Each structure stands twice: as C-alpha cells, then as structure tokens.
Amino acid sequence: MDKIEEEIAGRIKEMMDKRKVNQSELARELGVHQYDISRMLNGKPFPSISQLTMIANYLDCSLYYLIGIQQESYRELSPETRKIADAYQSANETIKAVVDLVLTNKQINK
C-alpha cells in the first residue's frame, strides 16, 4: 500500500472511530464480509471508487475528505458550504473543470 492509500485507510478508520462504526457494520452496509473490510483497510485490495463513495456516505463524510482533498468532514461543514460541496459533486465534468480553473487561478493570484 502506498502513502496515499495509507492516508485514505487512516481517514476511513478515523471516521469509523468518530462515528462508532465497527468493521461488521460497515461490511453489512457494503454487502461484503467483515474479513473483506479488514483486508480493504490494509490495502488488500484497496477499495474501488464506488466502494469509497459508499463508505463516505455511510460514515457521513465526503469522498473528498476520505481521499484527502477536503480537510474537514462533510458533516462538520456549514449548511452553505455543504450546498457548494453538493453542487460541485453533482456537476458535470465541464462545470467541475471551470470551477477548478477558477479556484486554481485565485490561489495563484493571492
């Protein structure tokens, strides 16, 4: 497991602890065995994007938080920021690319 995968697994474990969710509960939600969750958290095999999305939804955090793009848990965002995050997540790729470009340019111009 590489460094990024370790960080993602660490955030999943952190959110499981925070939400008081054990491996059996997460396994039930994903429709897999508890053993599969244990292996997944150790990177064998690493979860797919669809599995990461299901995990994020169940743990009430954003996929962006799990993969390290967002610093805050979705649940801890303000209602206004949640609206923005939801809009971005449901936007098509063209809109996301424009938003990403605007955000990148703002950071460069600071």
Side-chain angles (χ1 to χ4, degrees):
M1 181 161 42
D2 69 23
K3 185 178 184 331
I4 293 173
E5 291 173 342
E6 286 176 13
E7 290 172 358
I8 293 170
R11 281 189 285 279
I12 292 170
K13 292 173 188 175
E14 170 192 322
M15 292 306 294
M16 288 174 67
D17 289 343
K18 196 172 195 178
R19 306 289 189 247
K20 297 180 179 15
V21 172
N22 63 39
Q23 290 182 4
S24 296
E25 293 166 332
L26 186 57
R28 219 177 359 264
E29 180 65 21
L30 296 181
V32 298
H33 293 94
Q34 183 273 328
Y35 174 77
D36 296 323
I37 297 297
S38 176
R39 291 188 68 226
M40 184 186 299
L41 292 175
N42 289 304
K44 302 171 186 171
F46 193 74
S48 67
I49 292 294
S50 61
Q51 288 173 321
L52 284 172
T53 301
M54 290 172 65
I55 291 168
N57 289 336
Y58 186 69
L59 296 175
D60 196 23
C61 65
S62 74
L63 176 60
Y64 296 112
Y65 174 74
L66 289 184
I67 62 175
I69 294 173
Q70 274 181 342
Q71 294 304 308
E72 298 180 63
S73 163
Y74 182 78
R75 186 177 191 172
E76 296 163 350
L77 298 174
S78 69
E80 295 81 17
T81 305
R82 279 190 194 194
K83 284 181 187 178
I84 293 167
D86 289 342
Y88 182 84
Q89 286 179 330
S90 63
N92 67 42
E93 294 306 313
T94 303
I95 292 172
K96 286 181 182 179
V98 170
V99 170
D100 292 344
L101 183 62
V102 169
L103 293 174
T104 302
N105 284 335
K106 277 192 169 192
Q107 291 173 359
I108 291 171
N109 293 328
K110 281 189 176 181

